[in-house]
Amino acid sequence: MRSAMPAEAPLLGAIEAGGTKFVLGAGTGADAIVDQVQIPTRDPETTLAETIAFFRRHPGLAAIGIGSFGPLERNRDAAKWGHILATPKPGWSDCDLAGAIARALGVPIGFDTDVNAAALAEARLGAARDAKVSVYVTIGTGIGGGVMADGRIVGGSGHPELGHMRPRRGPDDADFAGHCPFHGDCLEGLASGPAIIARWGQSLSHLAPDHEAHGLIAGYLAEMCNSLRAALAPDAIVLGGGVMGTPGLFERIVAQAAARDGGYFALSAERVIRRPALAPISGLAGAFLLAADLL
Ligand code: ZN
């Protein structure tokens, strides 16, 4: 008896390239990973050498997808396609991430941001499968988001920078200037993990459940959700990332978004705002899809 699985399913590579770690996978898809490792993100030379060594152990790869930290050039027509752009991360500015891997391994490369990859995966396979328009936002070391519309990743010459929108702040919430070096009190400057630690000295999950931080952070993220609802009419907003692991935060965001929306939007906050279905591998799953889409 032959297996029902198609024997010709191509072997794919996937890279979730993060600021602190690279997750590498090989398999025919996120549901059929045959090998997966995690390596620390060091300088580009060391990190890329380890990455290439991993994939050399899997001959016959048909394509590799990369979902990477940014900023990066995702436009295939651009001279710098596949490069990391100006980043404070030492050594990584102008790194030709996609090109280095393509040259070493001789396979086609799909390349996009880590959050666009996660948005793609949640839209095709996860929490936003029923959505025509969906947004994935990660709230962690930074805040970043990807937008999907009718099966496609939305972006012009660049990629969305949802984390740098400014939420409305309450009148009694003016004593923290914010942690973003570019904007001060943008979302990332107020509600990312480092911003929370800069303001209160501990991560949100370590602050007592009755600490004011919980309500304030939920409020900023509720403002973000309502701005996205107003701008894009999404069917789903999927909230992932380390900060979202804080007990009760998801429920507080939904409640505050509903309380602040004035009943105006067609779809309720309760229906639109969702937890990821593919965490913690939303990004890696998306990288597999970026690879598969090349074939
Ligand atoms: Zn900012």
Side-chain angles (χ1 to χ4, degrees):
M1 260 310 262
R2 293 191 56 106
S3 157
M5 283 287 288
E8 68 274 18
L11 184 65
L12 304 170
I15 303 173
E16 185 179 4
T20 57
K21 64 178 193 287
F22 271 41
V23 184
L24 313 174
T28 54
D31 57 348
I33 297 173
V34 296
D35 194 5
Q36 181 179 330
V37 302
Q38 189 172 305
I39 60 173
T41 307
R42 293 185 284 240
D43 61 278
E45 294 71 26
T46 310
T47 312
L48 287 173
E50 289 183 355
T51 298
I52 289 161
F54 170 81
F55 287 114
R56 286 217 164 107
R57 298 208 302 268
H58 299 283
L61 287 170
I64 295 176
I66 305 174
S68 176
F69 69 90
L72 55 75
E73 180 54 72
R74 62 183 297 275
N75 179 0
R76 277 211 181 252
D77 299 327
K80 293 277 186 178
W81 173 80
H83 286 61
I84 304 292
L85 301 178
T87 170
K89 214 168 161 41
W92 285 90
S93 290
D94 212 32
C95 171
D96 183 8
L97 182 52
I101 291 167
R103 284 189 294 275
L105 298 166
V107 295
I109 303 290
F111 185 73
D112 217 314
T113 67
D114 46 3
V115 284
N116 276 349
L120 175 66
E122 290 292 346
R124 285 231 196 121
L125 310 169
R129 264 177 308 176
D130 60 326
K132 280 174 68 69
V133 174
S134 62
V135 186
Y136 175 88
V137 186
T138 180
I139 301 112
T141 310
I143 296 181
V147 179
M148 295 289 302
D150 292 322
R152 302 182 68 87
I153 297 169
V154 173
S157 354
H159 47 76
E161 292 283 5
L162 305 183
H164 298 279
M165 300 193 297
R166 278 200 174 79
R168 185 171 60 170
R169 300 181 68 178
D172 52 354
D173 171 36
D175 59 340
F176 180 63
H179 196 60
C180 176
F182 301 97
H183 316 114
D185 62 348
C186 64
L187 276 165
E188 186 167 297
L190 290 169
S192 65
I196 292 166
I197 289 170
R199 183 166 183 178
W200 290 293
Q202 296 186 75
S203 67
L204 195 58
S205 55
H206 284 100
L207 293 165
D210 60 350
H211 192 284
E212 63 161 0
H214 293 279
L216 286 171
I217 297 301
Y220 303 143
L221 295 172
E223 288 287 332
M224 174 191 76
C225 289
N226 286 355
S227 294
L228 292 170
R229 293 165 75 198
L232 298 167
D235 307 296
I237 299 171
V238 182
L239 303 179
V243 172
M244 289 306 302
T246 305
L249 179 59
F250 180 85
E251 292 81 359
R252 286 174 190 264
I253 294 168
V254 174
Q256 291 216 37
R260 294 174 186 216
D261 73 12
Y264 184 76
F265 298 117
L267 300 179
S268 69
E270 291 83 356
R271 175 164 166 191
V272 171
I273 302 170
R274 303 178 184 183
R275 301 174 196 274
L278 301 170
I281 64 153
S282 309
L284 193 70
F288 274 109
L289 294 175
L290 291 172
D293 283 355
L294 295 172
L295 305 179

